[in-house]
Amino acid sequence: MRELSTQIITLFRQWATTAEQGLPGKDPTKFDPDHAIRTWIIQVGIIICTANLLALGLKKLRQPKVIAEVLGGIILGPTAFGQIPGFTQHIFPQESRSYLNLVATIGLCLFLFLVGLEIDAGVIKRNARLSATVALAGMIVPFVIGAGIAVPIYNHFIHESVEFTHFLLFTGVAYSITAFPVLCRILTELKLLDTTVGIVVLSAGVGNDIIGWVLLALSVALVNAGNASTALYILLVSIGWTVFILFPVRWAMKWLARETGSIESGPSVFFMTATIIVLFGSSFFTDYIGVHAIFGAFLAGLVVPREGGLAIALTEKLEDMVSIIFLPLYFTLSGLSTDLTLLNDPSTWGFTIAIIFTAFIGKFGGCILAARYLAGFNWREASTIGSLMSCKGLVELIVLNVGLSAGILSPRVFSMFVLEALVLTFITTPLVTWLYPPRYRVRTSATGANFNNLADGEAGGRKSQPRSRDGKYYKTRFTVVLDKFEHLSGMMALTQLVNPSVLVSAWGEEQHARQPSSISIKSFTQKASQVIVEAIRVMELSDRVSAVMKSSAAEVILRSDPLLSAFRMFGALNDIKIVPSLAVVKQAELAYSVVEHAKNNDSDMIMIPWLPPVHDPYESVVRHSMMQTAPPTPGIKSPTTPNPFDMLFKSGAPSHHEASASIMHSQFVRAIFSQATTDVALYVDQSTFDTAVNSAQHLFVPFFGGPDDRATLELVMQLCENPRVTATIIRFHKRDADEPDVAITSPKFSQEVNALTVASNNPEYPDTYYGQATTESRLQSDTADNILWAKYSQLPRRNRRRSSLAPNDASSSKTGSSKSSFEARVEFKEIGSHAPLNAAINEAMAFAPIQPHEEEEEEDEEGGERDHDVVDKIGDAVPGLGNKKRRGHNKGRLVIMTGRSRRLAMQDHQRELKDVMDGCGQLGPEVRKALGDVACAFVAAGVGSGIVVLQAATRGSFE
């Protein structure tokens, strides 16, 4: 034991000896000018962690991140942690603040450059008449009030060495400034950018911001000037530099952007280099002549070209470093100078409350009066404008820090104004939410004058829709969700399926030559021209400035976004009317935004994509060679079919990043299903590289019952009016295991019930009954299934009866010919099976398109016996499957159409689905929650080029 203790003591002595050389034992927080990076890294780590922890909590209150950054600085300053003995001396020693200040000032210049990029002068030009009055009133009235309260504050708290005119000027600027960057984010988060209020506030905020920075530059010039002549000289030089930047430099930047291809392809390296040189060169000059460097950086941001989204692309390259590191450093320095413990007497608190009250009244009162009496807004809208314009945020904090560094503001007055800026910024969002709820918002129209508008929820009644042959409404308006480029192919396939104008011209000419008076051609062409597709491009609103810029520059994004451009071209080539729109919202509000868009545009159906299939080029080559040597077994998923769920839900495939992204998309899909008040169609793309080239499509509909299956049947009957679409609709009945699987003859329904329900014009009974799954509700749903099935499955029989009763009626023969051609494309069938999912999969496999290599193999096998040793791995084999002949030669692409059936499902498929997945591959619970059991079975089996999962309209209640 003595030897062990001796060794331990020796080790401790060695550890203490090496402490002087910088190894363990030395205080890592001790500031060393030769190794300042150590202290700087510790400071940055603490600042970033504190700011982000506070931001997580304040985000729940819908507060901007700047509040968290300022509060973090105050907490790390003398107000809170500075009271801990030794904290400030170790973490933020006075000797290290010059290094911290240098980095923060560089970051502030970059941030003001981004603010300049964010400002679009075109917004002011488009709304100059209304916004100018609000902007001027929002500057003049607060400036006068600020100048008035500056007198008692100067007398009580400011030293006599500070000139009163300088203090008055800084106080007036602090009162009249509006935080434009924070204002943009609030407008975006509250979805006010496309409202009349949002447009006026955005335009007024731009003008207010520009005037505010000019006044700040003037104030700094007056402070730094020793006399009036020097101040005039600085002012004239500043004006000259501004003119030089705004005209010659701006023209040069535009020319350089075009020459380097930066407008078309994003900022090149050379253009980025030139931009950074202009940024810091302008900052150096304005700082050298006596105006703060941030004014030069702001000017540099104004001259970057806006064409082609160049300003947004430039912002994306710079914003992360600025927002993550530089800005928190600057606001921490501001917090280190803020000592709320100085507000320690009633007089000080009285002045603080007066500053908060008068600052709000000045902005709010000036803007509300201008908006009400000069711009013509009502009191509610004018109050909202006043509340938004009173937002101070980080811009006032920059003004205050400039005043503090210039010696105009004392630490106590600085702390009072910082508290005022925090309070006014904090109350902006809740106040606007209370004053201007969605039901009162007035949104601008897409065309016409600036304020030719319509209030939310005031849309008139729905225009008359074309009716189908059976009196049902014909779906003509579809909302297509576009979020990622890899989902585009699936949305194109689904849009082509629901649009009746596909190939209508060629088909119409051919049929017209045969039968010039064809009623089917005329009605079909008329319906095709009335279909409208609302393409909504959804983007996530992140904490980045560029996300806010995209939202405010919606027109530019709609014209230049590659995803929308590709979809518009697809629509033009297929005679589809595409109406694009943009939604930039938070991830949690994406589904709500889509549902509201569909509701406001009176959409008949929302169409959303599922995860696309993953194609590995190397694996594709290997699998193709395998297909050529061994034909796929009927009922077993082909190894060449990439399952779109492999990357997420099957074992061993996904990386953590892919799985996380897929889970988020699954939650997005489920949120739309749960909130939608209209029909929703989810498209699962299962296409492969070797999919047969055929524009015709064959729809396979497994009908099990329930509201979703009924809606699917109605949609399929509409789609089959397209002459290139055929359908096989099979109703499956579950039988006991000891009963044989047989085809069922359609049951006879009483004429009274048939006439009562089919001819009824009451849309509430029974198809829209989605109550709790009680015995009564299930009986009603089952009755609705029987009636709807009888209605469509007996159409061919009734048409043949009509044609036999009136053989000499010319009009009847035309109509009968049209209908018979339609009915010939739709096949109805009923099957009873103890394994209905297996039966459905096997029936669908019979319609799968036969690939070229499969045709060659069938030719080789003609006259010979097929391999009877192949084992069917999809659950329990259905009798007769091995002898079932493939009928997919001329049917085209096989698309499975099925209901989601998460509500009032008439059959329970859980056990059978488990057997299917055991034979084909496992799918996780997220898939079943999103798609339902029937669709999951087809996905696991890899049947069909695509699967459409339909949910009937609900009242938007959550699952």
Side-chain angles (χ1 to χ4, degrees), residues 6 19 30 39 72 97 103 125 196 222 310 341 354-355 399 409 468 495 548 589 599 735 744 845 872 901 911:
T6 303
K30 184 179 180 180
T39 305
R97 299 205 182 174
V103 178
K125 295 177 182 178
T196 54
L222 291 176
L310 179 59
T341 60
I355 290 173
V399 174
L409 303 179
S468 68
T495 304
V548 181
E589 299 177 357
K599 182 178 178 181
R735 308 175 69 86
I744 301 176
M845 286 293 297
D872 185 357
S901 298
R911 289 188 178 180

Side-chain angles (χ1 to χ4, degrees), residues 342 439 453 734:
L342 297 176
R439 64 180 179 275
N453 49 59
K734 190 164 186 177

Side-chain angles (χ1 to χ4, degrees), residues 75 272 760 953:
I75 291 174
M272 285 290 298
S760 175

